[in-house]
Amino acid sequence: MRGSLWQLGQSIIRRLSEADKKAVARRYFASEADLKKTVLYDFHVAHGGKMVPFAGWSMPIQYKDSIMDSTVNCRENGGMFDVSHMCGLSLKGKDSVSFLEKLVIADVAGLAPGTGTLTVFTNEKGGAIDDSVITKVKDDHIYLVVNAGCRDKDLAHIEEHMKAFKAKGGDVSWHIHDERSLLALQGPLAAPVLQHLTKDDLSKLYFGEFRILDINGATCFLTRTGYTGEDGFEISVPSENALDLAKAILEKSEGKVRLTGLGARDSLRLEAGLCLYGNDMEQHISPVEAGLTWAIGKRRRAEGGFLGAEVILKQLAEGPSIRRVGFTSTGPPPRSHSEIQDEKGNNIGEITSGGFSPCLKKNIAMGYVKSGLHKAGTKAKILVRGKAYDGVVTKMPFVPTKYYKPS
């Protein structure tokens, strides 16, 4: 989906009547009857959730508080997000690791059981099909989550390659976890609140690690990760237990952890310098151009063996022609597709995500510029509604990350 979620939320909430909302849904997404609903849909509505179409689902863009307040509260206290629209799946079989390594840039074989990483599914040209957090549960079991908007193409891509792999005798099968829901609990109160609901010691679970454990009486897949830059967890819970878990988290936080919608989720991930697929990463953008070189395993750089490896390894050796960078700017906040110019007015790139940072109280954005113009401190002009405003290349993340790592 093009354009930032923040824009979507503001335009829908400020300018559209209920009738207009339905017209937009029909025209651009699906009829309201066609939209899928998570098991928490009624819970969202009861808590004042403003529901909007997103990737074929009816999802809360915000609740009774503003997107600004909700963003700040997540960093100061905590936020709980329903991300059940995302697609979790498991790959099983003794060859599941070697199969997945044909499709992603990560050194999956090098992961210790119970650990994971961000990775990218690539195409033959080295472009990104999707980004995903993958976890090696055991040597013969991989758990991964893919983006809702990419679900159909991702599953078709994986299935096509799995058929060919199995035809050659490879041992791999898959299960799509449509029977489970996914909650993200983020912020400084995430761990202390969740600790009330499990006997397992969460202080021994570090960023990127995974465990199957009992939470609030249900068997959950717990990953210490998130999309905000804060410490936190993604909790895959059987759908029949999701509502009780959501209620228990809010109750144990004594009102400090709030239900948080897609609008604040977009602000938080932008402040953390994280890509939104469809904006900051697409089929024609490589992981190297996107600034995700760190996600290409050392062994993979030496051996290749994944789709598009020839293109990506060449970019690693010679440098890419464009690079993803952060910006701060004056004037109105830049938006997706805002043109970036050098100080002489020459086009040097394009903004892919932008907005006003609720936590920093200033404009932030990310986009792609020509290599050589990507150094922090480089001055630029950013066009918003045809007028040029001062911008400067800025290191990301804009807000320091607080991931829970061994000291």
Side-chain angles (χ1 to χ4, degrees):
M1 192 187 81
R2 301 297 310 193
S4 93
L5 290 167
W6 189 90
Q7 284 172 272
L8 173 67
Q10 296 307 300
S11 63
I12 286 174
I13 289 149
R14 281 206 294 247
R15 292 194 285 274
L16 296 186
S17 67
E18 285 300 316
D20 288 336
K21 272 190 205 177
K22 290 177 183 173
V24 168
R26 277 197 301 273
R27 184 173 170 189
Y28 293 112
F29 300 91
S31 74
E32 299 218 341
D34 291 337
L35 290 174
K36 289 180 273 192
K37 295 176 180 178
T38 75
V39 294
L40 296 180
Y41 176 87
D42 292 338
F43 185 66
H44 298 312
V45 173
H47 282 79
K50 294 184 173 74
M51 309 305 286
V52 300
F54 179 70
W57 293 77
S58 182
M59 299 299 292
I61 192 88
Q62 70 179 94
Y63 296 85
K64 290 173 183 174
D65 55 352
S66 69
I67 290 173
M68 299 276 284
D69 288 345
S70 192
T71 302
V72 172
N73 183 70
C74 183
R75 297 217 187 278
E76 291 182 348
N77 296 299
M80 181 173 67
F81 308 77
D82 179 9
V83 288
S84 304
H85 59 308
M86 297 180 74
C87 177
L89 62 140
S90 286
L91 297 173
K92 291 189 175 181
K94 67 179 175 62
D95 298 323
S96 54
V97 170
S98 57
F99 166 69
L100 187 59
E101 284 199 343
K102 293 181 179 297
L103 306 183
V104 302
I105 59 176
D107 181 358
V108 187
L111 290 172
T115 67
T117 184
L118 177 75
T119 194
V120 178
F121 283 86
T122 48
N123 57 34
E124 286 83 356
K125 295 179 180 176
I129 292 174
D130 197 5
D131 57 337
S132 171
V133 173
I134 61 166
T135 301
K136 183 194 275 185
V137 182
K138 297 184 293 185
D139 286 331
D140 61 353
H141 179 190
I142 307 294
Y143 170 69
L144 59 150
V145 178
V146 299
N147 286 306
C150 299
R151 174 184 170 127
D152 291 348
K153 71 169 181 177
D154 287 359
L155 296 184
H157 175 72
I158 294 167
E159 186 173 32
E160 178 193 348
H161 285 273
M162 190 184 295
K163 281 180 179 173
F165 186 80
K166 290 172 80 167
K168 293 177 182 175
D171 176 25
V172 63
S173 62
W174 67 347
H175 174 75
I176 300 157
H177 291 290
D178 286 339
E179 78 287 358
R180 303 184 78 88
S181 295
L182 193 63
L183 301 179
L185 178 59
Q186 301 284 295
L189 294 182
V193 167
L194 196 61
Q195 189 62 76
H196 285 299
L197 301 174
T198 183
K199 291 175 181 173
D200 285 63
D201 184 357
L202 298 180
S203 72
K204 293 187 171 72
L205 188 74
Y206 296 105
F207 177 69
E209 293 184 348
F210 172 96
R211 199 174 289 171
I212 298 176
L213 74 176
D214 185 289
I215 301 175
N216 200 47
T219 301
C220 296
F221 303 164
L222 184 69
T223 313
R224 198 152 196 164
T225 188
Y227 195 45
T228 64
E230 297 295 316
D231 180 30
F233 305 89
E234 290 187 355
I235 311 161
S236 172
V237 56
S239 289
E240 63 268 24
N241 304 113
L243 180 58
D244 286 345
L245 178 57
K247 287 177 177 176
I249 288 169
L250 295 182
E251 185 184 313
K252 292 296 182 186
S253 80
E254 298 176 342
K256 291 182 178 176
V257 171
R258 294 185 205 158
L259 281 166
T260 310
L262 292 177
R265 187 168 162 85
D266 194 55
S267 297
L268 289 157
R269 70 92 194 166
L270 181 56
E271 290 179 340
L274 300 172
C275 291
L276 173 66
Y277 191 89
N279 279 41
D280 314 299
M281 217 189 304
E282 294 196 64
Q283 300 261 16
H284 62 279
I285 298 288
S286 78
V288 182
E289 293 165 337
L292 298 176
T293 298
W294 61 268
I296 308 170
K298 189 176 178 183
R299 178 177 61 82
R300 309 310 305 276
R301 297 181 198 200
E303 297 175 3
F306 50 88
L307 292 174
E310 194 175 317
V311 175
I312 289 169
L313 299 184
K314 187 179 180 188
Q315 287 182 349
L316 284 173
E318 300 175 3
S321 59
I322 58 171
R323 295 175 191 261
R324 181 173 66 96
V325 295
F327 283 96
T328 53
S329 67
T330 61
R335 299 296 182 209
S336 180
H337 301 308
S338 293
E339 183 181 342
I340 307 167
Q341 298 179 344
D342 64 17
E343 292 191 284
K344 294 177 182 174
N346 301 307
N347 180 301
I348 59 166
E350 183 178 271
I351 296 295
T352 52
S353 286
F356 182 78
S357 163
C359 296
L360 300 176
K361 305 291 188 281
K362 62 182 180 183
N363 298 339
I364 58 172
M366 64 174 81
Y368 286 84
V369 297
K370 293 175 182 175
S371 282
L373 300 170
H374 64 281
K375 300 285 194 300
T378 302
K379 292 180 179 177
K381 298 287 184 184
I382 300 176
L383 269 59
V384 183
R385 293 191 285 275
K387 188 175 178 183
Y389 296 92
D390 292 333
V392 61
V393 176
T394 307
K395 282 186 177 177
M396 296 186 287
F398 300 101
V399 173
T401 55
K402 302 190 183 90
Y403 302 132
Y404 180 71
K405 298 181 178 180
S407 54

